[in-house]
Amino acid sequence: MNVLRSRFTQAVLLLVLAFAIFKFGIRPPAPWSVLTLYMAIVFLATIVYVSSDSDSWREFLGPLRTTVMDPGKRPLRIALGIVIPVLLGYYAYTQAAAKPQAPPELRAVHPAPPASIQFRGKEITIAGVENPLRKDTASLGKHVAAGGEIYIKNCVYCHGDNLDGKGMFAYGFNPPPANFEDPGTIAMLQEAFLFWRIVKGGPGLPKESTPWNSVMPAWEDRLTEEQIWQVIMYLYAATNQQPRRWESSH
Amino acid sequence: MSARRRAGALLVLLGLAVLALTLPAAAQDAAKEPAYRAFPLLGSRLAVWAIAQLHLNFAAFILGVPIFAVIIEIIGWRTRDARYDWLSHEFVKLTFAAFSTTALLGALLLFLFAGYYPKFWTYMSSIFFPTYGIYAALFFAETFTVYLWYYGWDWLSGPRKGIHVALGVLSNLFGTAILLVANSWVTFMISPAGITESGALKGSVWAAINNYTWMPINIHRLIANIVFGGTIAAAYAAFRFLGATSDEERARYDWMGYIGNFVALSAFIVLPFAGYYLGREIYAFNQTMGITMMGGFMSWLWIIQAILIGVLFLGSNYYLWLGMERIPGSERYRRYVPMMIGILAFGFMVWATPRSMVITLDEARAMGGTHHPVLGFLGVMSAKNTAVNMMILTTFLSFVLYRRANRISTRSWAGAGMLIQWAALVAAAVVVIFYGVYGYFVESLVRIGFSVYQVMAVLGAIVVVMAIDIPMFRGARSTGAIRWGTIAPRSQYVLIILAVTFTWLMGLMGFARSGIRQHWHVYGVMVDKSVDAATPAIGYAANVITVVTIVFFALVMFIFWLGGLSDRGQAGAHGHAPAPLIAGGSDEQA
């Protein structure tokens, strides 16, 4: 199998294999932006691989040089001269053509909370604050149950029965509501962060990184401080996750 | 007097009264200094930003290069190898050429601050005035020491070489002290300390200097300066290599490029640890600031950083692998290259995987949310720490293989030694991966602590491997001399890419460090009320940094060209000894 021994063929096979793995081996499918990033890295690594010694580099360039220089390869050159611009043109078209979908945007992972917020005229510190209801160890179950009731009445429509962000309204929103089952959401956050997000909702998000496109309402006019802490307790209990603790600060 | 005249006189009187009332106020306003002035066309922020970044680039270069120049001089002095002395002199020559430009840019920056941000400058002076004198004194001391070090190279040679080396050490001490003073001003703006609630100095200025981020930035910048100096010096050597007209010249600059890259790589390996320490301290000072930096609107900058650092890792290793071609006997290590590329590429992918991906609505729905259920695991610190530690270990392995490429140990215990070395590397990799995976099963606070174990495992492996390697290859049998100057020319472009990438990276991360203050001149103390108070978007910042990087390299090329003019037609500039012959190489490696 001389063809397989060729460095050029190896490089092409490597790229095709990598694309196949990224495209079909990752489920659910990887977003196109990530796929492009991965392929760029694999391409770079492949070029490094074939050119990391002179013999290999010469061997890799051989077919390219022959295609460009060899008089016998003129039909191939003409074919490539047509196919490559057509492919590039098609790619440019797919990128530039109007689509029914909104274009993807860079989104921040999570917004930075303020040090303190105003809640119904009262200043509540966010930085370093713990859920006050957790001190009442005897009533933890009661608070979680109350939180569950609040969740069902108010939050379930977007965040879903299973707290997975697939509520009945969820399909109308972009970005979709937060999936609390994902270990990368509430488990990464202190309860005070959730408190801020629930109290101030989408309108209370910081100016930087706008537009946030969040439809989360500000619940400060509808829920009491205790109710918000209760629903937070429910979120962690129902998803079997632990809130992040505060680091000791200076 | 007619009614008309009376009305006219009344109007005049009224006008005079208004003038009499408003003139003193206008005069007062004129006497009052404005908080801001507008720089023509560019705007004040852009002007200060560009000059500050250029000044920092030059300052990093002139502070970083002497650190390894003096070490190389010491090596030459102790081993009596003239090549090292020549190389050290070459490096200091580069520094010397950039010295006055650094000072000029510093002065320009000062004028811009005083002229366009007078209120801010007045406030900073109210806190740091005592340090200005110290800074000026240190600058004079450093300048004269470096002058003496450079011009006295031949005068203080032979038996007086010790004095000359001492001058080099002294200039480094002064240089580092300058860095520490300037860092205190910058870090105070991020994490002010030692002041009252109104922002006035509470007691001694020391409390303001020794603020929460001062020492982490000192460490981070000191190491980064060495990397930066190494990459710029290597790029200079690459430039000279590509333009060389003789084998001898090519050999000399090949060797210089190798040393520059070696210095950069050695410091670069520990740089991520220093950066991590700085990040943690910013979090510890203020969580909001930390979140803004890592998870908030600065988070995409870290993806760009990951891509650039991935390029640096891949590029540095690639240069070493290409360099092995000029070492007879290195063929036996070539089989490890595909494995190392695999680890580096995989690490690169993990590091560059964003936590919050750029997705269409359809993609988000297919993923079941904004986070991918599989790839999302690669977006968190557990995965990224594991990836970077594995990349560091791989780069270290590349270096070890390069180091021993033309040497075969003659020690009786060489087999056992190599076994222990491999065991140390494998053990470190196991520890890194174990804590990386285990990190997903514990809470965040515990997971953060795991990074310390990972770092210790990698550093431990490096120490163990080198502790065995040095005695094992002392007096080793050579498989042939290094053929300096025969390296593939594409390797030199890699050196230039590394320098450009690192300069760009420095500018971008400098923007992150500065941008996390958002609309504050001094965080939580002095609000930025200028027209430029909004934090610029990342795309805009990237464009600014790109232009600054291009200007920096244009200036560097011009300065180096000027520096090179004096060498034309004479082998030894400034009366220094002519360049030693390096072509044909030596059995010893740097």
Side-chain angles (χ1 to χ4, degrees), chain B residues 232-282:
Chain B
I232 299 287
Y236 166 79
F239 187 71
R240 297 293 298 258
F241 176 97
L242 293 169
T245 49
S246 67
D247 287 345
E248 189 251 317
E249 199 183 353
R250 212 167 285 121
R252 199 185 318 140
Y253 286 107
D254 180 10
W255 184 60
M256 186 180 182
Y258 164 71
I259 300 282
N261 185 60
F262 167 72
V263 167
L265 197 57
S266 306
F268 183 59
I269 280 175
V270 290
L271 193 57
F273 303 144
Y276 190 73
Y277 167 51
L278 173 60
R280 280 200 69 172
E281 285 299 299
I282 290 173

Side-chain angles (χ1 to χ4, degrees), chain A residues 127-211:
Chain A
V129 82
E130 301 288 355
N131 189 337
L133 303 184
R134 290 200 187 272
K135 286 181 195 149
D136 183 10
T137 47
S139 310
L140 286 180
K142 194 187 84 185
H143 289 310
V144 170
E149 209 169 301
I150 297 161
Y151 182 87
I152 298 296
K153 281 181 184 166
N154 300 285
C155 318
V156 74
Y157 309 103
C158 298
H159 292 285
D161 296 347
N162 300 319
L163 296 90
D164 54 4
K166 291 179 181 167
M168 62 182 87
F169 294 160
Y171 293 90
F173 304 139
N174 181 21
N179 170 8
F180 302 129
E181 290 287 352
D182 181 346
T185 56
I186 57 173
M188 309 273 280
L189 303 165
Q190 290 97 354
E191 286 181 286
F193 186 96
L194 271 71
F195 184 83
W196 165 60
R197 294 298 305 111
I198 296 169
V199 168
K200 297 294 177 188
L205 283 163
K207 282 178 192 157
E208 66 265 10
S209 294
T210 48

Side-chain angles (χ1 to χ4, degrees), chain A residues 20-30 35 38, chain B residues 372 374-375:
Chain A
I21 290 171
F22 298 146
K23 181 75 182 163
F24 306 109
I26 301 172
R27 282 290 170 270
L35 194 75
Y38 285 177
Chain B
H372 194 282
V374 180
L375 297 178

